[in-house]
Amino acid sequence: MEKKIMAELEKCYSIAPLMYQGKPHFLVAAEKKDRCILFDSNGREETTIWEGPGGAMSMVQIPGSDGEFLATHQFYSPNDSKEAKIILATPSENGSWTVRTLVNLPFVHRFDILTAGGKNYLFACTLKSGHEYKEDWSSPGKVYVAELPDDLSSVDEDHPLSLEVIREGLLKNHGYYRVTEDGNVSALVCSAQGVFRFYPPEQPDKAWREEQLLDLPASDAVLFDLDEDGEKELIVISPFHGDEATIYKKVEGNYKQVYQYPEKAEFLHAIWAGKLAGKPVVVLGHRKGARRLFALIWTGEGYSFKTIDDDCGPANVYGYSCDGRDGLIATNREINQIAMYYFENGDF
């Protein structure tokens, strides 16, 4: 394995791929009041998208666009996110970027764009719905959806997107992960009430469908076939910003625990699933204690783990393949470091 430091960014947080000018790029943005950086696929800094205000929890490219993307702004923490919103960032021909608000949505933490039935849907999750004092969790979060128009030029702060609530009552509504299965997408959502999966309508006049996978408190989760037996395991961080990473396997229709990471990993936060160096892995990272970056793997005989880096405190991670190399980008928030890790066969 090879580690490359891409940049220093105070409280670096969110990561997103971006196709721009016909080439793969990456966005990295700060949790606090700092900038958003555009990198090329080799981790070289190209430009600054914005200098502030920061508070970028999620960033997602508009499908089919040349670099246009949505992002959250002004979500600085669970105790400082009343002014949170979703913005649209658009590149211009001279290389500058414009930013405008699409909708004000207090406490919006995670969101995505899901495509189904020929339509693009904004899928947005709020961590909570109200806040009067520090650590106030009296107003649970919600899940919102909106059909995205093909032309967003008329949408702004004065003419915002119209959002529909499809789920209420989700306390500490923190985790989101896109699941792609048989060419269809769905949304995995985690809260104190458990892990839920939402399916967009296959036809515009149909309703969203909801399924509960687990009724235990969860902070984040992924669905991924780690042991390559043809069925996805459910890998869960619990509870909210918790210290347990657990693998669940579906047995007779229900998810049963089959493995737990053997250490208490304080403030688990980063999670990504995919293949690195030809090996299925689920990469996780925690922000306190040992502040470790590690991968859960299947050895052929059972589940195990592999440490990637220590004392780095990752907030988020994203894996990719480019120019024949497998890489992992980590926002090592606790040391203000954006890092890229390259892997070769045999590393896992």
Side-chain angles (χ1 to χ4, degrees):
M1 184 201 73
E2 174 191 346
K3 179 180 179 180
K4 171 185 175 181
I5 297 174
M6 296 164 57
E8 302 289 328
L9 179 66
E10 186 174 1
K11 301 295 184 290
C12 51
Y13 188 89
S14 57
I15 311 165
L18 190 77
M19 284 299 298
Y20 175 51
Q21 296 181 339
K23 298 178 181 178
H25 291 75
F26 294 99
L27 298 163
V28 177
E31 175 182 355
K32 302 299 183 181
K33 297 178 181 179
D34 215 321
R35 62 190 182 127
C36 173
I37 309 171
L38 178 71
F39 294 93
D40 70 13
S41 60
N42 292 308
R44 291 186 292 259
E45 183 174 336
E46 287 196 355
T47 192
T48 295
I49 306 295
W50 61 71
E51 293 287 352
M57 298 290 100
S58 303
M59 300 182 289
V60 182
Q61 182 162 4
I62 300 287
S65 73
D66 181 22
E68 202 168 30
F69 68 96
L70 305 185
T72 46
H73 271 187
Q74 293 180 257
F75 186 110
Y76 300 120
S77 76
N79 294 310
D80 186 9
S81 51
K82 279 187 175 182
E83 307 301 320
K85 60 191 69 178
I86 297 176
I87 63 93
L88 172 68
T90 304
S92 64
E93 291 184 1
N94 64 8
S96 64
W97 294 71
T98 60
V99 173
R100 74 171 189 273
T101 299
L102 288 191
V103 63
N104 290 304
L105 186 56
F107 309 102
V108 60
H109 183 249
R110 301 292 191 212
F111 77 86
D112 198 0
I113 300 172
L114 302 178
T115 303
K119 301 290 184 180
N120 291 326
Y121 296 95
L122 177 70
F123 183 92
C125 302
T126 54
L127 185 69
K128 57 177 77 170
S129 297
H131 186 99
E132 299 302 327
Y133 53 87
K134 189 174 182 179
E135 299 303 321
D136 178 11
W137 295 102
S138 61
S139 300
K142 302 176 183 179
V143 175
Y144 296 81
V145 296
E147 183 180 324
L148 280 180
D150 293 333
D151 182 4
L152 289 169
S153 61
S154 62
V155 182
D156 56 29
E157 195 164 11
D158 295 325
H159 309 88
L161 288 174
S162 178
L163 300 173
E164 173 192 357
V165 177
I166 62 169
R167 184 61 154 88
E168 300 184 78
L170 294 179
L171 180 65
K172 298 179 179 177
N173 181 20
H174 180 268
Y176 169 83
Y177 203 81
R178 183 195 297 178
V179 180
T180 302
E181 200 167 42
D182 300 325
N184 298 314
V185 295
S186 57
L188 211 60
V189 172
C190 296
S191 70
Q193 280 71 37
V195 180
F196 298 83
R197 190 173 181 181
F198 293 86
Y199 300 84
E202 296 177 359
Q203 298 175 357
D205 59 342
K206 302 295 183 181
W208 285 74
R209 186 163 58 89
E210 174 188 330
E211 175 187 16
Q212 185 163 7
L213 306 187
L214 201 66
D215 63 359
L216 300 174
S219 189
D220 286 271
V222 298
L223 272 172
F224 182 66
D225 187 5
L226 192 57
D227 61 6
E228 297 187 288
D229 71 344
E231 186 164 18
K232 291 180 170 66
E233 292 101 308
L234 179 64
I235 299 91
V236 181
I237 293 172
S238 60
F240 175 65
H241 286 170
D243 58 8
E244 296 181 352
T246 307
I247 300 175
Y248 295 85
K249 190 85 173 169
K250 186 175 277 190
V251 179
E252 296 179 351
N254 296 310
Y255 284 97
K256 304 294 184 182
Q257 179 179 325
V258 293
Y259 175 84
Q260 188 167 73
Y261 180 64
E263 299 180 14
K264 290 294 185 181
E266 190 178 0
F267 205 153
L268 272 163
H269 197 277
I271 187 167
W272 175 85
K275 282 193 173 184
L276 292 174
K279 181 82 172 179
V281 298
V282 175
V283 180
L284 300 107
H286 60 108
R287 290 168 45 181
K288 290 185 178 180
R291 304 195 302 187
R292 187 166 290 137
L293 179 66
F294 63 94
L296 299 180
I297 59 174
W298 172 258
T299 67
E301 297 180 354
Y303 299 101
S304 187
F305 71 93
K306 173 82 171 182
T307 297
I308 298 171
D309 202 0
D310 281 311
D311 200 25
C312 53
N316 288 291
V317 288
Y318 182 82
Y320 74 103
S321 294
C322 186
D323 297 330
R325 301 187 78 185
D326 286 351
L328 181 80
I329 297 175
T331 46
N332 293 330
R333 177 193 183 277
E334 306 311 316
I335 58 173
N336 301 320
Q337 177 194 84
I338 306 168
M340 181 179 287
Y341 302 83
Y342 290 111
F343 301 94
E344 305 293 343
N345 288 338
D347 282 343
F348 297 106

